[in-house]
Amino acid sequence: MIMIELRELHKQYSLPDHTAIEALKGINLTVKPGEIFGIIGESGAGKSSLIRCVNGLETPNAGQVIINGQDLMQLNKPQLRQMRRNIGMIFQHFNLLSSRTVYENIAFPLELTKTPPAVIAKKVDELMALTGLSGHQHHYTHELSGGQKQRVAIARALANQPLVLLSDEATSALDPETTHQILQLLKKINAELGLTILLITHEMGVIKEICHRLAILEHGNIIEEAHVLDFFNRPQTNTAKRFIRDFSLHELPEHLRARLIDKKIEGAVPLWRLSFLGDAAESPLVTHLIRHFSLSLNILQARIERIRDKTVGVMLLEVEGQPEDLLSGKQYLNEKEVHVEEIGYVQFAA
Ligand SMILES: Nc1ncnc2c1ncn2[C@@H]1O[C@H](COP(=O)(O)OP(=O)(O)OP(=O)(O)O)[C@@H](O)[C@H]1O
Ligand SMILES: [Mg+2]
C-alpha cells in the first residue's frame, strides 16, 4: 500500500533572463499510509518545490505525483479541488486569517465545503480538544503564542479529514520547547488518526523526534533514504554524516564544545561519539577496548536518548592510543553494532 508516490518528478523554474533552474531532477519516492516521512536538506535543495508539487500548488515539468492511487496530472479541475481536500498543509508562518478568531479559522475550510453550521460547531470543538486549544475559541490570532498559532493551523488542516498532512518547516519559527510540543502533537495525530505525514525540515532534531523514515534532498536529487534508526547508525553519504555530525555538535555540552578542535594537533586526542541501540551493555565494551587495544579512555558523558520511540545509548569518549589501535578499536565497536563517529579532537584530560 502506498499513500504518496513520486515518479521521476522534475521541476524547473525559468528566470526573467530565460535561464532555467532545475529545482527537482527526477525524484522517486514512496510514502506508506500512516507513515511520518521526513525530507531534510539545505536551503535551496528543492524541499518546498517538492511539497508544492505534492499539494498541487505547483505543476511539475515531468513525472507523476500519485496520491492514494490518483495521478494528480490526470485529474480535471473539480477532481483536483476534491483531491486537495485530502491534503492538509501547515507552514512555518502559520498562514492564519488575522481577521478571524481561532474558532473561525478552524471553521473556514468547513464553510468552503458547505458543511452545515451545527456539524461545523461539533467538528471545531473536537479539533480544538484534539489540538489542545479548548477555551481559546474567541481569541484572535494576535492574542496567541507561536505554538498556539501552529495548533490552530493544524486543527484547520485537519478539518476536512485529510488523508495526508504536509508540513513545510512547521516548527522552524518556534523555540525548542514549543517545537517539542508541536512535534508531540503531530505524533499523537499520526497515531490516533492514522494520518500520513510528509514533512520537510532543515533540522535533524525534527527528523529524530518523530519520523519513521527520511530522505535527504540535495541539489534536487534524493541522495539517501533510510529508516531513521538505520540512518543514525549507518549513514551512507558524506552529506548524511555531516548532518549527523553537526547535530551531535549542537547536542554537545557547552564546556566540551569550547574545547573541541577540528584538527589533530600535538597532545590532542580524538573525541568519539558512540551510539548503540537499546541496552547493549556499555561497560563490557569499554573494558574490552581498554584491555585488548591498548587504548586509554576517558568517559566524558554516558546517557540514554530517544530516536523516535527507540532507546539509544550515547557515550562520549576521549580516546588515546596508537593509530592502528584506534582503528582496531573502531572496527571492534562496529562489529558490536556500535556506531562510532569521530566528532573532533580535544586535549586529553586523563
Ligand atoms: N518561484 C521560483 N522561481 C524561480 N526559482 C525558484 C522558485 N522557487 C524556488 N526556486 C529555486 O529553486 C531552488 C529550490 O528552491 P526551494 O524553495 O524548493 O528550496 P528549499 O529546499 O525549500 O529551500 P529553503 O530551505 O531555503 O526553503 C532554489 O534554487 C530556488 O532559488
Ligand atoms: Mg523551503
Side-chain angles (χ1 to χ4, degrees):
M1 283 242 289
I2 296 173
M3 181 57 79
I4 303 172
E5 183 173 7
L6 308 181
R7 287 193 197 152
E8 282 303 315
L9 194 68
H10 286 264
K11 178 67 198 173
Q12 269 183 21
Y13 299 102
S14 20
L15 297 180
D17 67 357
H18 302 295
T19 50
I21 293 183
E22 270 196 282
L24 301 173
K25 301 172 182 165
I27 301 291
N28 292 291
L29 190 75
T30 58
V31 181
K32 293 180 218 134
E35 199 169 31
I36 305 184
F37 195 100
I39 293 178
I40 188 163
E42 309 269 4
S43 186
K47 304 182 297 295
S48 296
S49 301
L50 188 154
I51 219 154
R52 287 204 302 265
C53 287
V54 176
N55 72 8
L57 283 178
E58 201 82 76
T59 312
N61 296 77
Q64 291 169 283
V65 177
I66 303 162
I67 296 179
N68 200 27
Q70 287 190 289
D71 185 337
L72 293 195
M73 263 51 79
Q74 305 298 319
L75 303 179
N76 60 30
K77 280 233 168 80
Q79 287 170 324
L80 192 62
R81 232 184 351 259
Q82 185 64 39
M83 172 52 97
R84 288 189 50 197
R85 279 180 207 153
N86 286 325
I87 307 172
M89 177 118 184
I90 52 175
F91 305 87
Q92 180 173 1
H93 297 299
F94 324 117
N95 298 11
L96 299 176
L97 300 163
S98 59
S99 62
R100 287 182 157 234
T101 61
V102 166
Y103 182 97
E104 292 164 343
N105 264 282
I106 303 172
F108 187 58
L110 294 164
E111 291 166 10
L112 291 181
T113 52
K114 310 249 183 316
T115 311
V119 179
I120 294 185
K122 186 164 175 290
K123 187 82 202 160
V124 173
D125 274 350
E126 280 169 22
L127 288 165
M128 291 206 306
L130 177 73
T131 52
L133 285 167
S134 301
H136 293 286
Q137 56 269 33
H138 301 307
H139 290 152
Y140 283 90
T141 55
H142 70 266
E143 299 171 298
L144 303 175
S145 68
Q148 287 169 332
K149 285 181 194 161
Q150 199 55 288
R151 286 172 193 272
V152 177
I154 291 170
R156 181 183 61 179
L158 297 179
N160 278 312
Q161 287 164 297
L163 296 168
V164 171
L165 180 68
L166 304 177
S167 163
D168 188 344
E169 302 276 4
T171 56
S172 298
L174 305 175
D175 63 68
E177 180 49 35
T178 311
T179 292
H180 172 69
Q181 288 165 1
I182 293 297
L183 293 177
Q184 288 307 311
L185 175 61
L186 291 177
K187 203 164 149 182
K188 176 175 105 170
I189 289 165
N190 165 259
E192 286 180 11
L193 311 178
L195 187 70
T196 308
I197 301 179
L198 177 64
L199 63 84
I200 62 178
T201 181
H202 63 276
E203 288 171 292
M204 205 45 120
V206 171
I207 300 277
K208 186 172 150 185
E209 189 165 343
I210 64 164
C211 291
H212 299 104
R213 288 197 298 143
L214 79 152
I216 299 184
L217 191 61
E218 188 174 71
H219 306 306
N221 293 301
I222 287 183
I223 58 159
E224 185 156 347
E225 197 185 323
H227 284 273
V228 70
L229 267 175
D230 294 333
F231 176 75
F232 279 96
N233 284 317
R234 283 186 294 277
Q236 303 294 313
T237 58
N238 284 335
T239 305
K241 289 174 190 164
R242 182 166 43 79
F243 266 124
I244 294 176
R245 183 181 180 277
D246 291 349
F247 184 64
S248 15
L249 280 183
H250 156 87
E251 286 182 318
L252 218 56
E254 186 50 45
H255 67 277
L256 263 180
R257 209 180 327 163
R259 280 173 56 203
L260 201 68
I261 39 187
D262 58 2
K263 279 198 266 330
K264 171 128 188 64
I265 57 162
E266 186 64 34
V269 302
L271 179 64
W272 285 2
R273 182 183 188 276
L274 272 47
S275 59
F276 42 86
L277 253 186
D279 322 310
E282 55 202 47
S283 53
L285 284 176
V286 172
T287 316
H288 190 98
L289 276 179
I290 295 171
R291 290 225 184 102
H292 298 270
F293 301 106
S294 315
L295 297 175
S296 304
L297 301 180
N298 194 17
I299 301 178
L300 299 174
Q301 203 183 60
R303 64 193 161 92
I304 300 293
E305 62 175 46
R306 297 179 79 73
I307 297 182
R308 253 283 320 169
D309 296 321
K310 295 283 192 304
T311 307
V312 178
V314 176
M315 267 207 265
L316 288 175
L317 299 176
E318 290 179 336
V319 195
E320 202 206 359
Q322 295 303 313
E324 58 276 18
D325 289 324
L326 288 168
L327 197 61
S328 323
K330 253 189 207 167
Q331 277 164 358
Y332 164 76
L333 290 168
N334 285 334
E335 280 159 23
K336 294 284 172 199
E337 310 237 311
V338 175
H339 175 67
V340 186
E341 191 196 326
E342 196 161 291
I343 39 188
Y345 295 86
V346 282
Q347 304 285 342
F348 194 50

